[in-house]
Amino acid sequence: MSGSVGTVRQDGGHPIDEEDPVTDERTYLEGMVRDTYFPPDLVEKGQAILRALDTRLAADRPADLEALYTVTHAATEEFNALNEEFWERGSEIETVARDVIATDFLHIARAHGFTDADIEELVAPRDW
């Protein structure tokens, strides 16, 4: 994080500086990384989707929640496509993975100042 001083709050055990919200230190999909059921290269693809979402929000912050949801829905569609790859490899985005992914979406939204974002709406178009 930058040297700027901002309001720091706790979110799932991870400090977030509102002045510099990009969450580079967070390990996205941590619960999937530790589980051998999920192919590591596909988990890495999911992590890349989340890093890209974070970077996009840092570069061009949406004006409101509806605009945020448009951006997160596009990222959710990427996870929908990725789920096909999981299926092909004998895995899937199941209950544990759904929770891990949605929680990371919420973390990213909050890190960018969208504290009122709804976790279900962030990933509303999911088919997993």
Side-chain angles (χ1 to χ4, degrees):
M1 295 207 178
S2 73
S4 64
V5 177
T7 304
V8 178
R9 63 181 185 272
Q10 291 291 349
D11 178 41
H14 300 278
I16 301 169
D17 184 331
E18 291 179 36
E19 295 290 322
D20 185 14
V22 180
T23 57
D24 290 335
E25 295 108 34
R26 184 174 180 95
T27 299
Y28 293 124
L29 307 180
E30 191 168 357
M32 294 173 70
V33 168
R34 296 183 309 230
D35 190 330
T36 58
Y37 175 69
F38 304 108
D41 60 313
L42 298 183
V43 173
E44 288 173 10
K45 285 183 177 185
Q47 290 172 317
I49 292 168
L50 292 168
R51 281 191 303 274
L53 172 63
D54 188 24
T55 299
R56 178 169 179 195
L57 294 177
D60 186 20
R61 187 180 187 281
D64 56 26
L65 279 175
E66 289 306 313
L68 171 70
Y69 294 146
T70 298
V71 175
T72 63
H73 291 177
T76 301
E77 294 292 350
E78 292 182 57
F79 271 101
N80 289 346
L82 184 59
N83 195 31
E84 296 299 319
E85 292 184 55
F86 276 97
W87 276 100
E88 291 169 5
R89 302 275 291 279
S91 184
E92 67 178 306
I93 297 176
E94 40 68 73
T95 305
V96 170
R98 283 193 296 269
D99 290 345
V100 168
I101 294 166
T103 298
D104 281 344
F105 268 77
L106 183 61
H107 175 83
I108 292 167
R110 287 181 175 172
H112 291 279
F114 292 97
T115 57
D116 294 335
D118 179 78
I119 193 167
E120 292 297 323
E121 184 57 36
L122 288 168
V123 294
R126 76 181 185 277
D127 62 11
W128 27 270

